[in-house]
Amino acid sequence: MPSNDNRIDARDWSLLCVLSILWGGSFFFNGAALRELPPLTLVFLRVALGAAILLPVLRMQGLGLPKSIMGWTPFVAIGLLNNVIPFSLIVIGQTFVPSGLASILNAATPLFTVIVMAVAGEEALQMRRVAGVVLGIVGVIVLRGWGIETRPGQGLGILLCLGGALSYGFAALAARRLLKDSPPLGTATFQLIASTVMMAIIAGAVEQPWLLPMPSLTTWLAVLGLAGLSTALAYIVFFQILRRSGASNVMLVTLLIPVTAILLGWLVLDEPISMREIAGAIVIGSALLVIDGRALTLLRRVA
């Protein structure tokens, strides 16, 4: 279980960086797949294929499925708050706002999580952490640029993306209370199975995906990347960090996502990095140091 001081060790900082790469790709994959697939159908394919990828791994590890309704109840709750609601809201939101703006709005997740956990009495509301998260959001805006364009439905898209970020905050609270003893692989698989059932009902009722034309190969590759990398693998890493460092800390990944996206573009695609992006990354790095707290403690000792 996480320590009481809400600090993150070197291993979990490394895992947060890995998770930021995996989840950062979801905005790109969503943008590519939404050209041919309606949003709820895309979410259904994401969770269904993610569950299908993890099930053989679960069996190889000798982990069985829950055997009762009570055993499934926590994973239904987590699936609803961590997958069904936020995935649907964010993907629908991305039909109204560009991916860059969606990622900025998603960076509000740790702020919502800190507030939700404090109101629920799970974690103390430390002003240092609140200030650090707000500073981090400012850094994301500087790094990515605000990206506001006048387009129909943009206000609704912003609200939907913020609703998804808030749902992640409640998911962190539910995971903290309901999944204390569940192994990360089991948690990731079971919540995706529960989400698949829920999304099959929702997408089937609203979009009737069986009537849609067959998507192109490019779309299928985007869906597979979304399911395999940004869902199946990402959730194993996510629940590992959650067990070790706590709910508020794991949600800091949304501040790192824009930074890793910029660095990957520079390393892999040879994209230039502007001074604005460097400044934004410095602000985000400073925010993470404030949130962690150890650097401030060291400065006080030196002073």
Side-chain angles (χ1 to χ4, degrees), residues 12 53 92 137 180 231:
D12 284 344
I53 291 169
I92 295 173
I137 295 173
K180 292 181 179 180
T231 307

Side-chain angles (χ1 to χ4, degrees), residues 137-154:
I137 295 173
V138 172
V140 172
I141 294 172
V142 172
L143 184 146
R144 295 301 300 262
W146 186 240
I148 291 289
E149 303 171 6
T150 302
R151 59 170 66 182
Q154 182 160 267

Side-chain angles (χ1 to χ4, degrees), residues 56-85:
V57 182
L58 189 78
R59 294 300 177 93
M60 286 189 292
Q61 294 294 318
L63 297 174
L65 299 175
K67 302 184 184 303
S68 66
I69 294 177
M70 290 299 296
W72 277 104
T73 299
F75 303 108
V76 171
I78 299 301
L80 180 66
L81 294 170
N82 211 35
N83 295 329
V84 174
I85 293 176

